[in-house]
Amino acid sequence: NSAAVSTAHTDSGAWAAALAQSVLLPSTGTISQTLSTIAGEAYLLTFYYMTDSSGTFTATWNGLAIFPTVTTNPAAFTMGQFLLTAKGNDVLSFTGPSSLPDLRGDGTWFVDDVSVVRQQSKPVPEPTSLLLLGIGLMGIVLLQLQRVKSKEV
């Protein structure tokens, strides 16, 4: 397998990753990156993929397949999008075909526009804020009770 860059097949910009089997360039056919993530936080992974024929393509997060092996032929870039939970220093990998291309050289998968964005979590109210809210609500209730009692007299 080999991993290289392509200027001919891009979704946007000038470069895309090209993943293919090659007799001339033996390698794993995988590109990986360790990401500085925060354990327990949610991250949105987005990427675009396409191929010039068919074959296998897999995306993994910490070694677990998050994108099933694809054997179809998306002739144009297609978006893949996943919401993932981080463990901290997570590894994102893309792996290309596991067999040699045909005589035309087909069988290459292209990956472009990869982004991993931390999702904003909803803030958790502090205990002090909840205490102040409770005191305020009790004050309103007491004022209403006093008004009702003063009208009775």
Side-chain angles (χ1 to χ4, degrees), residues 22-149:
S22 173
V23 176
L24 301 175
L25 299 170
S27 71
T28 63
T30 299
I31 56 171
S32 296
Q33 173 128 14
T34 300
L35 306 167
S36 296
T37 55
I38 300 169
E41 291 290 321
Y43 288 82
L44 182 65
L45 165 65
T46 305
F47 60 90
Y48 290 81
Y49 64 95
M50 73 167 283
T51 186
D52 55 12
S53 66
S54 62
T56 59
F57 170 77
T58 307
T60 61
W61 181 260
N62 295 321
L64 298 173
I66 55 170
F67 189 72
T69 298
V70 175
T71 56
T72 59
N73 180 6
F77 274 96
T78 304
M79 183 176 72
Q81 192 170 58
F82 303 91
L83 188 61
L84 305 166
T85 301
K87 293 182 180 178
N89 294 322
D90 297 277
V91 178
L92 173 63
S93 301
F94 297 100
T95 303
S98 57
S99 60
L100 289 172
D102 62 26
L103 294 175
R104 296 177 301 150
D106 291 344
T108 303
W109 283 85
F110 302 94
V111 180
D112 201 8
D113 297 329
V114 178
S115 72
V116 180
V117 179
R118 182 175 161 207
Q119 300 300 289
Q120 295 297 324
S121 57
K122 296 177 182 174
V124 177
E126 297 177 24
T128 308
S129 300
L130 292 175
L131 179 65
L132 289 172
L133 177 63
I135 291 171
L137 290 174
M138 284 180 20
I140 292 172
V141 169
L142 289 174
L143 283 173
Q144 290 298 326
L145 286 174
Q146 278 185 340
R147 286 185 184 170
V148 170
K149 283 184 180 181

